[in-house]
Amino acid sequence: MSLVVLGGGVSPFVRKVRVFLAEKGQPSQHEQVNPFAPPAGWREISPLGRIPALRDGDRVVNDSSVICQYLERRFPDPSLYPKDDYEFARALWLEEFIDGGFVPLAGPKLFLALVLRPLMTQTPPDAATEAAAQKAWDEEIAPLLDYLERELGDREWLVGDRISIADITVASPFVNAHHAGFAPARKRWPKLRAFLDRMWKRPSFAPLIAEETPIFGKRAERITD
Ligand SMILES: N[C@@H](CCC(=O)N[C@@H](CS)C(=O)NCC(=O)O)C(=O)O
C-alpha cells in the first residue's frame, strides 16, 4: 500500500511530514500540489484547501500534525513521540509553538515576501519589504528564538533523549527562513543554530533541502556567520 504526501515541497508543513516519514523509515511518494493553483477536485481531498494531505491507499488524512499522529499509530517503530506524559505534552507544545506561532510570522514576513512572491512575480523585493522582514526578525521572531535557545539548553534534542516530533517540527520552517536569508546568529543563538545544523544533515532532511535549494535558496548566500 503506497503512501503519498500531497503538497508543495517547500511548505514547512509538507516538509515536516516527509521528514517524519523518512525518520520512520517508511518509503513514500511526493506529489506536488500548489494550494494557490490546486488541481481539479482538490477540495474533495483537502476541504480547507490546505497542504499537506496524505493519501494512504484509499484513505486521506489532512493537517501535518494529524498526519504525523496517524503515522505514529500506523508505524509505531521507531516512535517519534515521547512516552513520558509530560515530555509528550512538551513535544506537542513545541509543535504548536512552531506551527501556530513561528510559521504564521516567518512564513508571510520572510519566505513569502522575500522568496515566493518575488519568484512568482519575477520582481525582486523592494527596500521597504526587505526592511519589514528585518524588523519582523529583530522584533517579533527573535523572542521566539530566545525561547528555543533556552528550551534546548545543553541537550541534543528538544525533548527527551531521542529525536521526536518536536525536533522535526522546529527544524522544518527554519529551512524557509534560511532560503529567505535569515538564520539564528551563532553568537546570540549558538545552541539553536548548532541544533539546526545537526538536524539538516540528517538523511531525512538533507535530500529535501538539496532538492529545493537550487529553486528557492539564492538568498541564503547572504548568511555570513
Ligand atoms: N495546520 C496545517 C497548516 C497547513 C497550511 O497552512 N498550509 C499552507 C501552506 S504552507 C496552505 O495550504 N495554505 C493555503 C491556504 O491556506 O489556502 C497543517 O499543519 O497542515
Side-chain angles (χ1 to χ4, degrees), residues 41-140:
W42 176 240
R43 288 270 168 169
E44 280 151 44
I45 293 170
S46 176
L48 294 177
R50 294 187 191 146
I51 55 170
L54 176 81
R55 203 184 291 123
D56 180 5
D58 57 4
R59 303 167 177 175
V60 171
V61 185
N62 298 96
D63 188 282
S64 67
S65 303
V66 176
I67 293 169
C68 290
Q69 294 224 30
Y70 169 74
L71 291 170
E72 174 74 6
R73 294 177 70 122
R74 181 126 165 58
F75 308 105
D77 292 318
S79 173
L80 293 172
Y81 288 80
K83 294 272 176 285
D84 174 81
D85 295 348
Y86 183 59
E87 288 184 350
F88 177 76
R90 297 285 310 152
L92 294 191
W93 156 242
L94 285 164
E95 186 179 19
E96 174 54 21
F97 176 82
I98 290 295
D99 290 356
F102 181 87
V103 174
L105 276 177
K109 295 189 180 189
L110 305 184
F111 186 70
L112 181 63
L114 300 176
V115 181
L116 209 50
R117 195 172 293 127
L119 207 62
M120 289 184 310
T121 59
Q122 290 298 300
T123 311
D126 59 19
T129 308
E130 295 275 2
Q134 188 65 52
K135 188 169 156 56
W137 179 260
D138 292 340
E139 295 177 9
E140 296 178 89

Side-chain angles (χ1 to χ4, degrees), residues 113-224:
L114 300 176
V115 181
L116 209 50
R117 195 172 293 127
L119 207 62
M120 289 184 310
T121 59
Q122 290 298 300
T123 311
D126 59 19
T129 308
E130 295 275 2
Q134 188 65 52
K135 188 169 156 56
W137 179 260
D138 292 340
E139 295 177 9
E140 296 178 89
I141 297 173
L144 307 191
L145 308 190
D146 289 339
Y147 175 72
L148 291 172
E149 183 78 4
R150 284 198 302 277
E151 284 303 297
L152 263 168
D154 289 321
R155 285 174 296 109
E156 185 175 359
W157 310 106
L158 278 156
V159 181
D161 57 4
R162 48 163 296 122
I163 187 169
S164 77
I165 183 70
D167 305 297
I168 296 168
T169 306
V170 169
S172 180
F174 279 95
V175 176
N176 296 71
H178 197 265
H179 290 335
F182 289 85
R186 290 188 195 278
K187 257 198 173 144
R188 178 164 171 189
W189 297 289
K191 290 164 184 169
L192 178 58
R193 187 66 177 277
F195 164 80
L196 294 174
D197 288 345
R198 285 197 301 276
M199 288 298 293
W200 294 349
K201 282 192 190 120
R202 292 179 72 81
S204 55
F205 264 102
L208 304 192
I209 295 173
E211 171 186 298
E212 60 194 72
T213 297
I215 309 166
F216 300 102
K218 264 252 141 289
R219 288 179 59 97
E221 288 160 14
R222 294 167 190 235
I223 300 168
T224 50

